[in-house]
Structure formats: C-alpha cells, structure tokens
Amino acid sequence: MTQAILERVKRRIDPNDEIGTEIEDQLRDIIGDVEAQLRVKLGGVETIPTDLDYIVVAVSVKTYNRIGSEGAASHTVEGETMTWSADPFAEFERDITDWRNACRKRRPAIKFL
C-alpha cells in the first residue's frame, strides 16, 4: 500500500483531516485487504498497476463505510435505506476485465509451426 492511496481514502472519509491513529490503522488493514482481493481478480499480479489505484480507493471507502453492517444486504434507519452489492468490486468488473484483456494482448507469445 502506498501512502498516497491511504491519503486519498482519508480525504474521502474525512476531508477535514481529523482521522486519528486508530482509524488510520483500520484503514491500512482495509486497504491491504482490498489490494489483496484486487490482485487475485487481476490474475495474481504482484503489484496493482497505478492506473487501477482508483479501484482500491473506491472499494476501501465502501468497505469502511460499511463497518458494522458486514454481512447485511441492506440497512434501514428512520426511513433511509442503504443497499449493498454482495461484491464490492462489481461496478469495476468491466475495468478489471479490460485490464486483463489488454495484458493478454501485450504478452509475448511463442508460436510453434
């Protein structure tokens, strides 16, 4: 995890930059988990390409905002209903697939005749 990703996540959660060390540690854990999940989705890459960092940021913020409601599909409080996708990466599946397809095209291949 880069410090830049942590800072971007912190700005989205609290633009006033009043996040304490406990929350920051929690965010580091979340970002690490999100990065591990994304590496698997990308086909087991060792590092996530920087042009896909936005996925790590967005999914980390979603995960943080869902703390306390893990496992629930929806949550209603005083008439306000929040519904979550079972897969926090669902909206990025096309981007992930496009990236994987682009990598396959760039990969050198040996053809036997």
Side-chain angles (χ1 to χ4, degrees):
M1 170 191 47
T2 65
Q3 187 66 25
I5 289 176
L6 176 62
E7 293 304 318
R8 287 172 60 189
V9 171
K10 286 169 50 177
R11 275 194 305 276
R12 290 215 184 154
I13 291 170
D14 185 2
N16 296 323
D17 196 28
E18 295 176 3
I19 292 177
T21 57
E22 290 177 6
I23 301 290
E24 190 169 311
D25 290 343
Q26 195 173 34
L27 290 175
R28 287 179 198 281
D29 291 343
I30 290 169
I31 293 167
D33 292 346
V34 168
E35 287 178 337
Q37 291 172 313
L38 183 56
R39 282 194 304 272
V40 169
K41 288 185 172 289
L42 294 174
V45 298
E46 288 187 33
T47 58
I48 296 168
T50 56
D51 48 338
L52 296 181
D53 282 351
Y54 71 96
I55 296 174
V56 175
V57 173
V59 174
S60 295
V61 171
K62 285 181 185 185
T63 302
Y64 176 81
N65 287 335
R66 194 171 175 182
I67 289 176
S69 299
E70 294 90 342
S74 65
H75 180 77
T76 303
V77 176
E78 296 181 13
E80 179 184 15
T81 301
M82 293 182 277
T83 304
W84 300 285
S85 168
D87 180 6
F89 291 91
E91 72 181 273
F92 304 106
E93 285 303 323
R94 182 170 178 121
D95 297 344
I96 292 167
T97 300
D98 289 348
W99 184 87
R100 290 184 74 177
N101 289 339
C103 282
R104 282 188 197 113
K105 290 177 185 175
R106 289 187 296 231
R107 222 180 263 162
I110 298 173
K111 293 184 181 181
F112 295 99
L113 302 174

